[in-house]
Amino acid sequence: MKKHFLLLLMTTLCFNAFSQDSEENQIMRVSARIGLNGSSLLFPRSMNGQLLEVPETFFPTQIASGSYNMTSSLKIGATAGLLFDFQLKEKLSLQTGLFYMLQRCGQVQSAVFNDTSNTHFSITSDNVYKIHHLKIPVMVKYCFSTNPKSFVVGAGLYFDCALGGDITYDASAVVTSNSNEISKYVASGNFDPFKKDMKYLYYHKDYDDYMNKYNLYYGNIFNRFDMGVALEIGYQINKFYVGVHADIGLLNMMNKQFSGEIYSQHNANFQLQFGYKIN
């Protein structure tokens, strides 16, 4: 239901933008944008000392006492698209368009906990995300001057659909019982987080070349649709434009069937954009 609502809202906003009343003599200007982006994933705070809900996809037991932490690192991606500006007043306009965005970011997960049988787990994983998006911004833009050179600010919403992606997963785990090391594992995997298919990890004991295949999960890990707040500040120089743009996601991108109720993750994307007015 939520996905259908977002699609309807995206369609309605775009239609309204393109169907301005001709009697008001609205002027439409088209511009092209390209740029670089750095993406991050926003997580809840570490839950040290709390009861952690460990998803069934990770371990047979669901309740563990310990600590869990997630951090994210920026990686460089790319952005390209077209923008349509509809003049509302002399210095005010409504801006929408269509963007393709390649999002890349890193994630480190670490967990130290005991399960109900007092087996101790120490796990670290280093994940790299590469995701392809189509994005529609809907923003109100204000120019500080009517001159060809002017500072510009904008604020509004964005609506996003992930076309597909790739997670490269590398992890290590140490399992102990009564202070004695039982095993040490190294695991890796590569899969599309948006597809409802089988997700496999390949793991082996440290210093052992024999590989085992582990069924991590069947289904999608991430939700495909997102929406959030869009902010921008830039400088227009005749037909050329340079600006900084930020998108902060409002929806939880984690599939609750995979991660449970306690975990969430939100998109944060920062872009350096270069533009050119086509008309």
Side-chain angles (χ1 to χ4, degrees):
M1 187 67 183
K2 181 173 69 177
K3 294 180 180 179
H4 293 109
F5 172 75
L6 290 176
L7 282 174
L8 178 61
L9 185 59
M10 290 167 62
T11 305
T12 303
L13 288 170
C14 290
F15 177 80
N16 288 339
F18 279 95
S19 60
Q20 300 290 331
D21 190 350
S22 59
E23 294 180 0
E24 297 177 0
N25 296 319
Q26 299 288 0
I27 300 174
M28 184 186 77
R29 296 189 180 276
V30 182
S31 59
R33 292 274 182 94
I34 60 171
L36 301 175
N37 70 71
S39 296
S40 182
L41 300 172
L42 304 179
F43 307 106
R45 294 178 180 177
S46 303
M47 294 161 283
N48 293 314
Q50 297 185 16
L51 286 178
L52 302 183
E53 217 178 274
V54 181
E56 290 183 358
T57 52
F58 296 159
F59 298 101
T61 179
Q62 290 186 324
I63 301 298
S65 177
S67 63
Y68 183 77
N69 187 43
M70 290 186 287
T71 59
S72 183
S73 60
L74 292 175
K75 292 185 179 296
I76 301 300
T79 302
L82 289 175
L83 283 176
F84 305 93
D85 287 87
F86 298 89
Q87 202 72 31
L88 301 177
K89 290 186 178 181
E90 188 178 32
K91 298 180 181 180
L92 199 66
S93 63
L94 176 68
Q95 186 180 78
T96 186
L98 183 64
F99 277 83
Y100 163 78
M101 184 172 68
L102 170 62
Q103 175 189 21
R104 298 178 68 248
C105 57
Q107 178 196 73
V108 176
Q109 297 176 312
S110 60
V112 179
F113 54 87
N114 296 324
D115 69 4
T116 52
S117 64
N118 205 32
T119 301
H120 182 78
F121 297 88
S122 178
I123 304 169
T124 301
S125 69
D126 190 356
N127 310 327
V128 177
Y129 297 74
K130 183 172 69 175
I131 301 174
H132 304 276
H133 298 266
L134 279 183
K135 186 181 73 170
I136 297 176
V138 181
M139 303 176 65
V140 175
K141 189 179 75 173
Y142 179 78
C143 295
F144 285 86
S145 171
T146 57
N147 296 328
K149 299 179 181 180
S150 173
F151 280 102
V152 180
V153 294
L157 299 174
Y158 76 89
F159 305 90
D160 182 285
C161 176
L163 303 177
D166 181 83
I167 296 179
T168 301
Y169 180 95
D170 290 294
S172 62
V174 178
V175 184
T176 60
S177 180
N178 297 322
S179 300
N180 296 317
E181 183 176 310
I182 299 175
S183 55
K184 187 173 182 180
Y185 293 93
V186 176
S188 62
N190 187 277
F191 40 79
D192 187 330
F194 301 100
K195 286 186 177 180
K196 293 184 178 181
D197 59 0
M198 200 72 75
K199 309 292 190 296
Y200 291 108
L201 290 181
Y202 297 88
Y203 70 96
H204 60 86
K205 289 186 177 181
D206 203 12
Y207 308 114
D208 188 347
D209 292 334
Y210 181 74
M211 298 292 294
N212 292 288
K213 189 176 182 180
Y214 173 69
N215 176 17
L216 174 67
Y217 178 66
Y218 178 82
N220 58 305
I221 294 175
F222 289 164
N223 298 315
R224 195 175 290 273
F225 295 95
D226 188 24
M227 67 173 291
V229 176
L231 301 170
E232 185 169 320
I233 183 169
Y235 191 72
Q236 189 75 45
I237 311 171
N238 298 317
K239 284 184 170 291
F240 297 94
Y241 175 86
V242 60
V244 178
H245 183 99
D247 293 326
I248 307 297
L250 299 177
L251 302 184
N252 181 11
M253 298 307 296
M254 292 292 290
N255 178 6
K256 290 183 178 180
Q257 291 182 338
F258 173 75
S259 63
E261 295 287 339
I262 197 170
Y263 302 109
S264 64
Q265 144 174 331
H266 298 264
N267 280 322
N269 187 268
F270 308 93
Q271 305 168 32
L272 176 63
Q273 294 187 354
F274 303 92
Y276 179 79
K277 281 186 178 180
I278 297 175
N279 70 341

